[in-house]
Amino acid sequence: MAQLKKKGFALSGSLKSDGVTFYTKKGKIIMRSAISEQPLRRTRGQFVTRQRIAHTTALWKRLREPARPLFTQCVNIYGRFSTLMCKLPVVFLTKKELASRASLLIPGMPLSDGILPDIIYRLDEVDGQPALLTNVKMKRPLGSDPTASDMVSALCGKGATLKRGDVLRLYSLHQTVEYMIPKVSVRMEELVLESSRQTSGFSGIEMQCVDGRLALTGSCFADDTMGWGLVHVRDERCSSQTVVTRCNMYEQYTTDETLDRAAESYGGLTESSMITPDTE
């Protein structure tokens, strides 16, 4: 590292062609090499970690598109999302696929994180109709063509899970393939439980009372390329929810073959720098 005396002006910057970086410190100009001497490493473990981070970031970007995600018990909401995503399988995507916004729908993908009781739900059927069954208690059944006031009365009050002023966020995620690139899109609708603000339920979905619990029914719940989640919001609090889906396309991207394919697009894997003992 070289030092030069500063005369009359501040100097900082870099000369990339010469591999030099320079900056001013305590009245002196400091020059040092701008070229890293570290060898390029892409071991299997490093590559798997980088692929997890890359796909987590891709899904986070999609989740943010309809509205700010609700992760209410932390300062760094992306950090919390990333921590929860570490529980899920790693998918392997090529450099080109990631550059083209590739993403895959994975069961258990976190949608929210908070202190309200979780809503438990599953994909099933009601009288032969595809449905999302939940554990949300209802005060009474809904009529055939409920008004906004009917919905609030049925979903809120004594014996019900919800209260007036609460919000239900319904997330719908769709797995598509565009020009051989898998992509996830995210849509979100809110049901505000105030009759003066809400005129209908979720679009294309019927709300029913099944065994005293809320059920959402509609042909959309039979679509194997869709994923769903229902978040309970009350003031600044929310429930912790994840995606339920029958979509299993992601499994094709978790194999050793897809790992090798993805690694090759980056130039292949390198040997681990760890020293291993000789074995017979």
Side-chain angles (χ1 to χ4, degrees):
M1 179 174 66
Q3 297 183 359
L4 299 177
K5 293 183 179 180
K6 183 180 70 172
K7 294 184 179 180
F9 61 94
L11 185 64
S12 64
S14 64
L15 297 173
K16 292 184 178 179
S17 60
D18 295 326
V20 175
T21 293
F22 48 93
Y23 57 93
T24 302
K25 181 178 181 181
K26 295 182 179 180
K28 297 180 180 180
I29 297 173
I30 309 297
M31 291 192 301
R32 61 178 176 80
S33 172
I35 301 174
S36 173
E37 300 297 331
Q38 295 294 323
L40 174 65
R41 294 194 182 98
R42 194 182 300 111
T43 66
R44 182 185 179 94
Q46 289 171 329
F47 186 72
V48 169
T49 298
R50 290 166 186 166
Q51 285 280 293
R52 180 186 292 280
I53 293 172
H55 188 242
T56 293
T57 301
L59 286 178
W60 178 251
K61 290 179 179 179
R62 303 292 79 75
L63 184 60
R64 289 190 313 173
E65 288 174 348
R68 185 177 187 272
L70 296 174
F71 290 76
T72 60
Q73 299 304 299
C74 58
V75 176
N76 184 345
I77 61 175
Y78 171 71
R80 179 58 178 161
F81 177 79
S82 298
T83 298
L84 295 171
M85 284 292 296
C86 285
K87 302 175 182 178
L88 304 182
V90 181
V91 297
F92 302 108
L93 297 161
T94 66
K95 187 175 183 179
K96 178 182 177 181
E97 287 169 339
L98 286 170
S100 301
R101 295 165 47 111
S103 53
L104 287 149
L105 179 56
I106 303 179
M109 171 187 164
L111 296 172
S112 65
D113 186 57
I115 62 172
L116 292 182
D118 299 353
I119 298 177
I120 300 172
Y121 42 76
R122 72 180 191 277
L123 292 167
D124 209 316
E125 289 188 353
V126 173
D127 296 331
Q129 291 293 314
L132 183 72
L133 302 183
T134 82
N135 70 335
V136 175
K137 294 180 181 178
M138 296 182 67
K139 185 177 177 181
R140 61 177 178 79
L142 286 162
S144 58
D145 188 18
T147 64
S149 179
D150 292 335
M151 289 185 190
V152 173
S153 297
L155 289 167
C156 304
K158 187 177 180 180
T161 300
L162 307 174
K163 297 180 179 180
R164 288 180 181 269
D166 285 359
V167 176
L168 287 177
R169 275 191 175 192
L170 179 65
Y171 282 90
S172 56
L173 297 87
H174 190 201
Q175 179 74 73
T176 59
V177 178
E178 300 177 11
Y179 302 104
M180 304 298 291
I181 305 295
K183 293 186 177 182
V184 174
S185 59
V186 182
R187 185 169 176 261
M188 188 274 292
E189 291 184 81
E190 287 190 342
L191 177 65
V192 183
L193 297 176
E194 294 179 0
S195 57
S196 61
R197 296 179 57 187
Q198 191 70 41
T199 58
S200 62
F202 301 117
S203 58
I205 293 172
E206 183 180 352
M207 302 174 68
Q208 297 185 35
C209 183
V210 178
D211 297 329
R213 304 292 195 272
L214 173 66
L216 306 180
T217 62
S219 59
C220 54
F221 295 113
D223 191 336
D224 289 343
T225 67
M226 299 290 294
W228 305 91
L230 191 64
V231 181
H232 177 198
V233 185
R234 179 176 294 163
D235 300 324
E236 300 299 318
R237 295 168 292 165
C238 70
S239 58
S240 300
Q241 306 299 155
T242 60
V243 172
V244 293
T245 180
R246 299 188 186 94
C247 185
N248 60 4
M249 183 184 293
Y250 77 96
E251 294 176 351
Q252 302 173 31
Y253 293 81
T254 61
T255 65
D256 287 341
E257 289 77 13
T258 52
L259 189 158
D260 293 340
R261 168 178 167 269
E264 191 63 31
S265 72
Y266 285 89
L269 299 177
T270 59
E271 294 295 326
S272 172
S273 60
M274 298 292 290
I275 299 176
T276 57
D278 293 333
T279 58
E280 295 184 359

